[in-house]
Amino acid sequence: MVRIITVYGGMLLEAMGRTLILALLGLFFACIIGLFFGILSVVKSRICNVIAQIFVDIIRGVPMIVLAFFIYFGIPYLLNTIIGGHNMTLTALQAGTACLALNCGAYMSEIIRAGIQSVDIGQMEAARSLGLPYGVSMRKVVLPQAIRTMIPSIINQFIITLKDTSILSVIGFPELVNTAKNVQANTFMSFQTWAIVGVMYLFVITILSRNAKMVERKLNVGR
Amino acid sequence: MSDGKEIKISVKNLKKSIGDLDVLKDISIDVSEGEVVVVIGPSGSGKSTFLRCLNRLEEVDSGSIIVNGIDITSKETDINKVRENIGMVFQHFNLFNNLNVMDNMTLAPVELKKCSVAEAKERAERMLEKVGLSEKQEAFPSQLSGGQKQRVAIARALCMQPDIMLFDEPTSALDPEMVGEVLNVMKNLASDGMTMVIVTHEMGFAREVAHRIVFLDGGYIIEEGTPGVLLLNPREKRTRDFLDKVL
């Protein structure tokens, strides 16, 4: 155990750093995707609602590992076949980010949709009755209230996404699990390696959820 | 009330159905400047739907609604511009729960660039004073009683300086002892010459404040007249039956 930490500790910490970067990138784009499709699913337009629903259904209906292979291998193959000769490839980071963003984004859009719909319709009507346009009413009145109810689910989704980065070891991104596999292969100390990795995840996620509790408390001011 | 005063709202052959239900079948009515029209009728008669059509919170199926000379049923009409001049007060107050009283009142005027922040605040203070809640500027809606919320809601609508006010059962969700304070604010507003359309079950208030009472049932205007005539000597049997139940 001590030998793994002294010899491979730095390597594992670096891998954790890459895991966090991947997760943050994924979450960042997931928020944009989630907000976009979340709003799309609540606006008064049948077409928009259907588009959002189809997106969510597709992503939810495909295992993330399949999505990862599809983006990393499938998309460049398709593009190269169509355009031809360019030998386009995606880096594991690009494909991983896209994969996480799409996957998490779909779930986020459902969280955002539910959050917006949980705000009493009267809030929107009151804002509109004063002459405020839909966008301003949404931004200044509905979303701030929706976010309060969304925060616990969003944090939960963040944690799931952070853990889902481990799936991206299959496309060769050197995140924590992938790196740990190498450590295990070098040392043959499976128990120790995976115990350390488990504790590392646990540590980061515990910090995340503790901070989430604080954010929640702050947002509840005036409720 | 057609003593040469400008017509503020003119509704012609308004029809509106929700799902399979024809809520409003054929409504025509004019409201002139400074007039207080109270709409009464049994529940499900379309009173609220009618009121919500007047600022297009409900889309109408056919007919026209002219407000201040603008046909609000037309697709080309910028409904937001029209709504700036039509205040609305809801049964459930609908104060913005994420904002304190002051921000509730200044949000729309500032966002819509009707005035500077300082002016908006100054106006909000005046309006709050008018409804007797000057000390509640910093309070959040959750810290107010029902009656206080509704008075803030009225003040918030007034901050846009509308020339028409719509009231959708403004006292129906209030505890009995708070009804009076809201009705008082509305009475003052009426005596200031505000054009008002009010859906309410408060017959005493209707008798005292209304220039005209409109009885709505089954999607039609059954009868309308001054409080004296409509409440004491209704022509129609349906009006009499309704009044027997509520008076």
Side-chain angles (χ1 to χ4, degrees), chain A residues 122-123 125 128 140 144-145, chain B residues 52 83 94-95 98 111:
Chain A
Q123 296 284 313
E125 285 182 350
R128 298 306 307 275
K140 294 281 182 173
Q145 295 181 54
Chain B
R52 290 160 57 85
R83 282 175 179 157
N94 297 354
L95 292 184
N98 56 320
E111 280 291 325

Side-chain angles (χ1 to χ4, degrees), chain B residues 1-8 32-34:
Chain B
M1 274 307 283
S2 53
D3 46 349
K5 280 198 174 163
E6 187 193 342
I7 293 199
K8 300 294 279 185
S32 31
E33 189 179 358

